[in-house]
Amino acid sequence: MADRADILVIFGITGDLAKRMTFEALYQLERRGDLSCRIVCIARTKWSQEELDGRARAAIEAEVPDPDQKAIAQLEDRLHYIRGELDDDATYERLAKEISGARRPLFYLETPPTMFADVVRRLGAAGMTDDARVAVEKPFGHDLASARELNAELREVLSEPQILRIDHFLGKEPVMDIL
């Protein structure tokens, strides 16, 4: 597929969302054979690579009955951890070196929403957004005005097709109402 990401970069991998959802989702993709790229994980937590792998394994084993150990091991082989502050340009310099050669990166932001615009600006300043896509996870603003403001900030760096918005809370209430 021409527009398929050739590297996945996850910001905020040590947070609760990753523990509750992301690691299991990555495991399911790996188990089905649908995951084909490296995964670079970035957070400020002082973890080793082994600690990240252990957190992924524990999260998967807590959610999946009788998980496929081979799929977990393959997922662990894909994961690479970079420790860094998201407001430090040196983090983005290290990331740019780590993903050099990637043609179609997908940056997945599992950070507090207040950091979305700054992370995207820093990715752009480091020259990593030309053919990239950015997925923002969590509430996209807290009202219409803040959502418009955030959208305008992201559009300073990215074109509309590059922005993927995932708001699991926005869809949750209507679904719960239907049920």
Side-chain angles (χ1 to χ4, degrees):
M1 186 183 281
D3 65 346
R4 188 175 200 149
D6 58 353
I7 193 159
L8 172 61
V9 179
I10 303 174
F11 288 84
I13 195 67
T14 60
D16 191 53
L17 181 61
K19 180 181 176 184
R20 291 184 298 113
M21 298 178 154
T22 306
F23 287 125
E24 181 186 356
L26 293 171
Y27 161 80
Q28 296 295 352
L29 289 169
E30 183 71 55
R31 187 184 57 76
R32 289 194 315 255
D34 291 334
L35 195 57
S36 60
C37 64
R38 287 183 51 230
I39 303 168
V40 177
C41 305
I42 300 175
R44 64 180 181 200
T45 305
K46 294 180 181 177
W47 281 358
S48 65
Q49 182 66 46
E50 293 74 25
E51 288 171 304
L52 175 66
D53 292 345
R55 173 77 173 243
R57 180 175 289 277
I60 294 163
E61 290 175 345
E63 296 297 323
V64 178
D66 193 29
D68 179 339
Q69 295 301 316
K70 182 179 176 187
I72 293 175
Q74 288 171 324
L75 176 60
E76 289 173 339
D77 288 343
R78 290 186 192 283
L79 299 175
H80 178 77
Y81 188 65
I82 295 176
R83 190 221 169 264
E85 297 294 331
L86 300 186
D87 61 354
D88 181 358
D89 290 337
T91 299
Y92 298 87
E93 291 169 14
R94 286 195 315 276
L95 176 60
K97 287 179 187 171
E98 182 66 34
I99 70 167
S100 67
R103 295 181 329 277
R104 186 77 160 146
L106 170 59
F107 299 104
Y108 192 80
L109 280 55
E110 293 187 11
T111 63
T114 56
M115 298 186 75
F116 291 164
D118 187 49
V119 169
V120 168
R121 274 192 292 275
R122 289 173 189 274
L123 287 168
M128 292 185 276
T129 58
D130 288 345
D131 292 315
R133 287 174 290 181
V134 176
V136 292
E137 173 75 43
K138 295 192 182 162
F140 195 85
H142 55 274
D143 60 15
L144 182 58
S146 63
R148 285 181 172 155
E149 180 181 343
L150 175 57
N151 195 59
E153 290 176 304
L154 296 180
R155 293 293 307 274
E156 289 174 9
V157 179
L158 304 168
S159 66
E160 183 60 34
Q162 290 179 280
I163 304 169
L164 307 170
R165 297 166 188 85
I166 303 169
D167 190 334
H168 50 273
F169 295 111
L170 185 62
K172 181 179 177 182
E173 286 300 318
V175 170
M176 296 300 287
D177 289 344
I178 291 170
L179 294 176

